[in-house]
Amino acid sequence: MKLDPKADYIKVHADWHKAGIPGKTFYEKALYEVNKGYAIVVAPDAIKLTVKLPPLKERVLKRDKYTCQYCGKYGDTIDHLIPQSVYKIFTTEEMAVCACKRCNQLKSDKPMHVFIKELMKERILEMIDKEL
Ligand SMILES: [Zn+2]
């Protein structure tokens, strides 16, 4: 059975949901969860979660061992590689990294290439400071 891409929303069933009341999600997210093996399709407009996943933030922080992927220091926030405030898409584990508060604020909604340029400038200035 396949999910109906034209469905307004996809119902989400899970044994651990409050009183068996299904949640809702959208097609792309439901398809992602099915493809990852986190859910099975039970109707063209419904999936059933087969894995109880911890929240995205917890999964990303553990995967990256609480290390900021930009500066290597301790990090306890996650950065959405594609800013959610700019592009209204959902974030998967693959689209997020652990970041320290400073790097996360510095990156904000900037495109990645702009942020990397700023980081590189900063590093070069730090290196020059150490030389002097
Ligand atoms: Zn950082």
Side-chain angles (χ1 to χ4, degrees):
M1 194 180 313
K2 282 186 168 188
L3 284 173
D4 178 6
K6 291 178 188 146
D8 289 339
Y9 62 87
I10 304 293
K11 286 178 232 130
V12 181
H13 300 273
D15 293 336
W16 55 87
H17 268 193
K18 306 159 224 145
I21 300 165
K24 285 183 192 176
T25 192
F26 46 96
Y27 174 78
E28 287 79 12
K29 188 170 184 208
L31 189 64
Y32 171 81
E33 289 178 345
V34 169
N35 288 339
K36 284 292 252 185
Y38 301 156
I40 54 169
V41 179
V42 293
D45 67 343
I47 60 170
K48 182 176 174 140
L49 298 177
T50 54
V51 177
K52 191 174 183 179
L53 291 172
L56 176 71
K57 182 177 178 180
E58 204 177 301
R59 283 181 278 157
V60 171
L61 293 179
K62 275 188 183 167
R63 181 199 65 204
D64 293 344
K65 299 178 174 73
Y66 290 84
T67 303
C68 175
Q69 298 301 294
Y70 300 122
C71 73
K73 292 178 183 160
Y74 172 80
D76 60 1
T77 70
I78 65 167
D79 178 52
H80 301 262
L81 299 175
I82 301 168
Q84 284 192 310
S85 54
V86 180
Y87 306 97
K88 304 289 179 210
I89 56 168
F90 83 99
T91 302
T92 64
E93 295 102 289
E94 296 85 0
M95 295 158 65
V97 294
C98 173
C100 68
K101 284 186 179 75
R102 188 181 171 280
C103 287
N104 209 339
Q105 283 171 356
L106 193 67
K107 178 169 175 282
S108 186
D109 289 343
K110 292 170 194 147
M112 189 56 75
H113 71 280
V114 174
F115 173 60
I116 297 294
K117 255 191 211 170
E118 284 182 13
L119 270 187
M120 287 172 71
K121 250 189 226 170
E122 207 177 83
R123 292 277 158 78
I124 291 167
L125 289 173
E126 280 172 14
M127 285 166 60
I128 292 169
D129 273 354
K130 278 182 189 168
E131 293 290 317
L132 298 174

